[in-house]
Amino acid sequence: MNVHPIDMSMHGTARRELPANVEAEQALLGALLVNNTALDAIRLPLEAEHFSEAVHGKIFGVIVESARQGRAATTITIKNRLDETVIGGMTTAQYVSKLAVDAVNLVNVPDFAYSIMDCAARRAVISIGHKMEDAAFSTDMEIMDEIEALRGRLDDIIRALNGRTEARTLAEGAKRALESTATAYKGSGVAGVDYGIRFLMDMVGPFMPGQLIVIGGGTKQGKSSLIEQIIHGAASNGHPVWIYSGEMGIEELAHRSLSRVTDIQAWRQIRGKVTEREYEQLEAARRNAETWQDRCFIRDDSMTLSQIERDLKDFAKRHPGGMAIIDHIGLVERDRETGKLSETEFGPFVTRRLKMVANRLRLPIVAAAQLKKNTFAIEDRKMTRATYMQAIGRRPKYADIYGSCEKDANHVIIPYRAEPILQELEPSEGSELHPIWEEVMSTVRGKAEIIVALSRHTRWPQRKEVGWEGAKTMFTDLQARDQERFL
């Protein structure tokens, strides 16, 4: 194994070797082979290309891929996935075995990872320096464009060393969302977290440090929409918000956010079906929202529970007075500890850990959970008006949440919309039953309920009738609407 030197003579210095810490690479790989769970201790976004020795990068890549697939990565299981070569007089299999035998204390894994990343960053900076020199001497390239590109790479290096490569603000997402549209077109005052939704504040009050709030919901019931409104309200009132979005990417969240303030549907933004005036509205809305969106830190990549806990610890330290969002529990990535749990066991395992984290960090955590699939099931297959009324009359309860995720919650909140339930039962147009269905549908169209299904701090169950604006995918305060009419 040789680290190749580069010629630095142009810079008036002696020939020097590129920064590398082969011993740290060997120690890290040995520790991972002995105990795969040590991967969770790596805080930095370490990747195979950060290793100075190519064979080390390949070994690391195989270990990571095995862990993602829920398989053990040992000296025996990975040897067939590596190219056979001679390393320091040893075969690949012998070398991998030696790494495991020579493994040192697992406690030092984060330090090994940082040393590897530090050397990789220094090599990258040296490379950037050479590219900058080439750009300065070249007359064939736009110097400002090249400098901007290199500065972007330098920013990436800094973020990686700070362990913040993946977390991005919603403001950044909004910029990217608007760019994609353009391409397609051509807290204070309240204890705890004031999330700014009056009808919900009246029911449960602000979210307090240490609380776990479970928001349950079925498909198309508005679970994610309510969470997005909570994020908007909390960030607008000055609270930083950390978000694990397993269901939607950052750009989709940003499109939906812009939709709520402009009345321009997210699907139209995504497809570029906007007028020039509407695009100007979107751009103005993005600029106006930038202040609160810069308080929203999004992780839309797959994360295990251990990784979420470490991220939250760092977030709580850097951003006091904030809150965290997990959307949703079922999309938390499995690791070796949870890989063998059933779906019904995994949910309460996650909520118990989240409750412990909320208490330890003095941070309110909002976690979304799915309702059981048969929550709104209709047994009567002979459709009548009574059947439709029965379908919209069944209110979900905390026991309907899949996997008993309510056990550790301070509040269980369930948004309920009858409209999508009836949509599934629509008879064919022109049938005798269709006018009856339409008459029942007219009573629920544009309406919803917010249900406090369980609470350790206020009376329950509570039900609050609210409005639903489908174009904006948001709940509205009917009382506020009535006041507007009088005004």
Side-chain angles (χ1 to χ4, degrees), residues 109-143:
V109 161
D111 297 325
F112 297 147
Y114 185 86
S115 179
I116 295 166
M117 182 70 83
D118 180 75
C119 290
R122 292 176 187 275
R123 293 195 299 272
V125 170
I126 291 170
S127 174
I128 288 174
H130 288 313
K131 291 182 184 299
M132 190 71 78
E133 184 178 67
D134 291 341
F137 279 105
S138 174
T139 59
D140 297 330
M141 60 180 73
E142 290 290 336
I143 184 66

Side-chain angles (χ1 to χ4, degrees), residues 433-447:
L433 201 54
H434 198 274
I436 298 173
W437 174 87
E438 183 60 50
E439 181 262 320
V440 177
M441 175 64 90
S442 67
T443 66
V444 298
R445 194 172 276 122
K447 295 180 181 178

Side-chain angles (χ1 to χ4, degrees), residues 356-476:
M356 292 169 64
V357 172
N359 280 331
R360 187 168 66 249
L361 301 180
R362 304 305 301 155
L363 184 77
I365 297 179
V366 176
Q370 292 284 78
L371 297 186
K372 297 171 183 174
K373 289 184 178 180
N374 63 350
T375 299
F376 303 113
I378 302 299
E379 296 179 2
D380 184 5
R381 291 301 163 193
K382 186 179 180 182
M383 295 294 164
T384 64
R385 190 179 192 281
T387 308
Y388 296 139
M389 296 305 295
Q390 178 190 353
I392 66 174
R394 177 158 174 1
R395 299 299 188 277
K397 305 180 292 294
Y398 70 82
D400 291 320
I401 294 178
Y402 189 74
S404 301
C405 294
E406 79 285 348
K407 292 179 179 178
D408 297 294
N410 296 87
H411 303 294
V412 175
I413 299 164
I414 303 177
Y416 168 72
R417 296 177 53 228
E419 189 173 349
I421 298 172
L422 275 183
Q423 285 173 339
E424 295 292 326
L425 302 175
E426 182 179 6
S428 59
E429 288 192 34
S431 68
E432 293 182 1
L433 201 54
H434 198 274
I436 298 173
W437 174 87
E438 183 60 50
E439 181 262 320
V440 177
M441 175 64 90
S442 67
T443 66
V444 298
R445 194 172 276 122
K447 295 180 181 178
E449 288 182 4
I450 302 298
I451 301 170
V452 177
L454 181 69
S455 177
R456 304 183 191 280
H457 308 282
T458 187
R459 64 182 180 85
W460 61 275
Q462 294 185 60
R463 284 164 43 186
K464 175 74 172 179
E465 187 174 342
V466 296
W468 170 257
E469 291 194 26
K472 294 183 178 182
T473 60
M474 67 180 292
F475 297 97
T476 59

